[in-house]
Amino acid sequence: MAKLMEKASWQRIKEDDDFTWKEFYQTCGFHLEIGVNPLSRLGFGTTVWGAALGLCQYFEKERIQFSDKKVIELGAGTGIVSILVALLGGDVTITDKPEILKQIERNVSFNVAPSFKHRVKVRSLRWGRDHHLFPSDYDYILGSDIVTFHQDVPFILESLLHLSNEKTIVYFASTMYYNQQSISEGHLTLSQYFETELVCRYEAKDVNVYKMFRKL
Ligand SMILES: C[S@@+](CC[C@H](N)C(=O)[O-])C[C@H]1O[C@@H](n2cnc3c(N)ncnc32)[C@H](O)[C@@H]1O
């Protein structure tokens, strides 16, 4: 049974507006350094959620090739998933609500060398509102622990439909126990528009990884 990766270590840092400590992760041969602030007034996006680790570990297991692929992540939080994808060669747009972007930019700067920074954009994308500012030709769309509250699902769906085309691969992961009924219903709603396959499950942490394609 697949076991979900965990942080390798953590280190308290001099507290600042964004972070209280740094967490360190080993995945795909990279050492990731992620600043977090669990008590932040900014809410849910300031820690690394289990589903983000589920996606990272799935990409490692499947050796997914992101070289020169155009990738966008919704509700990226700390940015860990997109940072990994950028290190794997992807051309990544990391999105979240405006107030979360500064911490993402700092986490990008901890991990992505200046010579690779052109591969990473950090932008505001509020679900159901800002997607028109983005193109519709992404190779991959990523999201972890964002299909949680039923009221968000129509807005996530609207953004997904705009950002994707028939070739786009969507990888979403969810920690099911956070809100089992609402999350299952959310994925069911998305599956009306996207062929959806449960491609991996991390049983002990109740994390599901889904691969989705636009229905024709
Ligand atoms: C539970 S956190 C997951 C963060 C990250 N994906 C992870 O797995 O570690 C949900 C994320 O969605 C973002 N979010 C919530 N509502 C949003 C909205 N309406 N538009 C865009 N992002 C939103 C939050 O700021 C937060 O970063």
Side-chain angles (χ1 to χ4, degrees):
M1 190 183 302
K3 190 171 176 295
L4 191 61
M5 67 186 251
E6 293 182 9
K7 57 180 166 291
S9 59
W10 66 279
Q11 184 182 59
R12 194 166 283 286
I13 54 174
K14 189 170 173 302
E15 194 166 337
D16 60 31
D17 287 346
D18 301 314
F19 302 132
T20 43
W21 69 76
K22 275 185 185 175
E23 296 181 349
F24 303 100
Y25 296 88
Q26 305 282 354
T27 180
C28 300
F30 298 105
H31 173 81
L32 303 183
E33 192 175 318
I34 303 294
V36 300
N37 185 353
L39 299 179
S40 167
R41 62 185 166 71
L42 295 179
F44 295 136
T46 57
T47 53
V48 176
W49 289 66
L53 301 179
L55 278 187
C56 292
Q57 193 167 336
Y58 178 74
F59 297 158
E60 178 171 51
K61 178 169 82 77
E62 295 297 318
R63 299 172 186 268
I64 305 227
Q65 296 297 320
F66 287 105
S67 287
D68 301 322
K69 298 294 184 192
K70 192 166 168 178
V71 183
I72 188 166
E73 183 178 6
L74 304 179
T78 62
I80 183 171
V81 175
S82 287
I83 288 169
L84 175 64
V85 170
L87 295 173
L88 290 170
D91 179 350
V92 184
T93 301
I94 313 180
T95 74
D96 207 297
K97 297 192 280 191
E99 58 270 28
I100 305 289
L101 302 185
K102 183 167 161 238
Q103 70 161 24
I104 297 176
E105 275 162 0
R106 287 190 67 194
N107 278 329
V108 169
S109 70
F110 294 153
N111 293 281
V112 181
S115 52
F116 289 100
K117 284 257 173 73
H118 61 278
R119 286 205 199 136
V120 183
K121 298 183 199 72
V122 180
R123 300 274 184 274
S124 171
L125 192 166
R126 292 161 299 173
W127 307 325
R129 293 175 66 178
D130 302 323
H131 48 258
H132 295 292
L133 303 171
F134 296 80
S136 301
D137 62 348
Y138 289 97
D139 296 303
Y140 292 95
I141 304 176
L142 311 177
S144 56
D145 276 333
I146 62 171
V147 182
T148 307
F149 302 110
H150 67 90
Q151 66 270 20
D152 289 332
V153 173
F155 300 111
I156 292 173
L157 178 60
E158 205 184 322
S159 293
L160 269 184
L161 290 174
H162 171 82
L163 297 166
S164 62
N165 58 46
E166 70 286 354
K167 292 191 187 137
T168 306
I169 299 174
V170 181
Y171 284 116
F172 269 17
S174 288
T175 308
M176 305 306 287
Y177 73 81
Y178 288 147
N179 202 344
Q180 177 83 46
Q181 188 178 350
S182 177
I183 295 170
S184 299
E185 286 172 6
H187 283 287
L188 200 60
T189 301
L190 298 183
S191 72
Q192 291 168 22
Y193 300 83
F194 291 84
E195 299 289 352
T196 302
E197 186 187 356
L198 174 64
V199 289
C200 188
R201 177 161 165 75
Y202 299 98
E203 192 73 36
K205 301 282 184 181
D206 207 9
V207 169
N208 286 353
V209 178
Y210 297 96
K211 182 177 185 180
M212 310 192 296
F213 286 99
R214 275 288 279 270
K215 283 187 175 170
L216 296 177

